[in-house]
Every structure is written in structure tokens, then in C-alpha cells.
Amino acid sequence: EEERGNMEFWMNLKVYNEKGQLVKEVMKRDPLTNQTAAFIMMLILPGAGDTYTIDEGGNSRTFRRGSTETIRYHGPTRIWIGTGTATTPAYTDYKLEAPLQAVTASQPSLSIVGNRMNISLSATFSFNAQYTISEVGLDTLLNYGNSANTAYFLLAHDRLSQSITVYPGWSLTVTY
């Protein structure tokens, strides 16, 4: 019998003090949101009429894929941290609630363990001031319609159950 799997997002966050010592680690498992799963399928399968919310120049824009519309990865893929606390992430989010900083994610790494395939990206943030981090996210730049149209699509938006305070000299590594 053929074995089938589920797609999941795992977010791992590690905070290091100025001496490089691990101060805190948070691991969060999220089922793939309906919008993200549909979006990934849209990249793979032809179709028409699907609607997505994207970030075009910092503004929400609804994108409806037409039967001749093409969507291609343009890059980069970024990992974000933010300070938003007011809302629960929703599948219609196109950016973090209160974005603080983005870092271009590492090249994806692939590992296969048994019947499980893992693809991971990471980014490290450094701080010269104190911040309270409460949300993280992952987005990627896409071309759509024709090569002149680009927009960021938010693939993951995670709210931390407890905010994390970082201090000057500290670093934070996020891995999806």
C-alpha cells in the first residue's frame, strides 16, 4: 500500500546571549494553512480562478489566477521577526502585524530520514537594542502574470505563545 504524508510547517527559534550561550528555544508545529497549501498546489498544477492575498509594495492585494496566468518563484525568500500582539494569524495575512526586521533565508537544505523529507531554511538576526519579539514569518517573492509583476507571498505567520525579549549583542536564529 502506498504511504502518503502530510505537509507541516515547523518553526524553531533559538535565542543566544552575547556570549553565544543558548538562552531560550521555542519549537512550534503548524499544520499547513489552507491558503499556503492551495498556493503550493497552484504552483504545481494548472488551474484558474483561485484567489490569494499577496503583499505588493507593503499593501494587501488580492490576486486571482486566470487560466493563462503564470506564477514563478523569483526570490528571495525572507524570514521575518515582529512585535505584533493584537491579532491571531489568519490565512489572509499578507505580512506580519508589526514587522521589525527581515533577513534573506539560507539556501534550502534537504534531508530524508526514513519516509520523511525535510526541507529547511534559516536566518539569524543580531540586535543592537532591546526588542520584544512576538511573531515570526516566512515570505517569498514571486513573478505573476508577466515578468514585470512581482509580489511577496506570506507562507507562514507564527505568533509566539510567550514573547521573547532580546538585548544588545544577542542573536536569534529562526528555522522553518
Side-chain angles (χ1 to χ4, degrees):
E1 180 177 317
E2 181 180 343
E3 188 170 327
R4 297 172 188 242
N6 296 321
M7 293 176 72
E8 299 176 328
F9 271 128
W10 284 84
M11 186 275 301
N12 179 278
L13 184 144
K14 293 181 180 181
V15 180
Y16 299 91
N17 65 18
E18 69 280 355
K19 295 178 182 177
Q21 299 165 322
L22 182 65
V23 174
K24 183 162 183 106
E25 182 172 13
V26 175
M27 187 169 278
K28 186 172 187 231
R29 178 186 160 269
D30 288 320
L32 204 57
T33 65
N34 289 340
Q35 173 153 330
T36 303
F39 181 76
I40 291 169
M41 293 308 293
M42 181 191 70
L43 290 174
I44 298 168
L45 303 172
D50 299 323
T51 302
Y52 305 92
T53 306
I54 56 179
D55 180 4
E56 188 168 46
N59 296 299
S60 172
R61 178 182 182 284
T62 300
F63 169 67
R64 182 175 171 86
R65 182 178 183 202
S67 59
T68 60
E69 200 87 55
T70 59
I71 263 195
R72 293 179 312 280
Y73 173 78
H74 184 276
T77 298
R78 306 178 299 186
I79 295 179
W80 283 88
I81 56 173
T83 59
T85 59
T87 61
T88 300
Y91 77 93
T92 54
D93 290 351
Y94 63 95
K95 64 180 181 177
L96 270 59
E97 178 189 341
L100 178 64
Q101 183 181 0
V103 170
T104 299
S106 65
Q107 288 295 316
S109 67
L110 172 69
S111 66
I112 297 175
V113 179
N115 63 354
R116 190 176 200 141
M117 179 174 69
N118 300 308
I119 301 170
S120 60
L121 304 160
S122 63
T124 298
F125 300 83
S126 299
F127 303 95
N128 57 10
Q130 180 178 326
Y131 296 100
T132 300
I133 309 303
S134 54
E135 60 180 338
V136 298
L138 174 72
D139 72 5
T140 193
L141 186 63
L142 302 171
N143 285 108
Y144 65 93
N146 63 51
S147 60
N149 298 320
T150 59
Y152 278 96
F153 184 84
L154 188 64
L155 297 170
H157 183 192
D158 290 293
R159 173 88 61 226
L160 303 179
S161 58
Q162 293 182 337
S163 297
I164 295 173
T165 302
V166 293
Y167 300 93
W170 286 31
S171 66
L172 179 148
T173 299
V174 178
T175 303
Y176 274 100

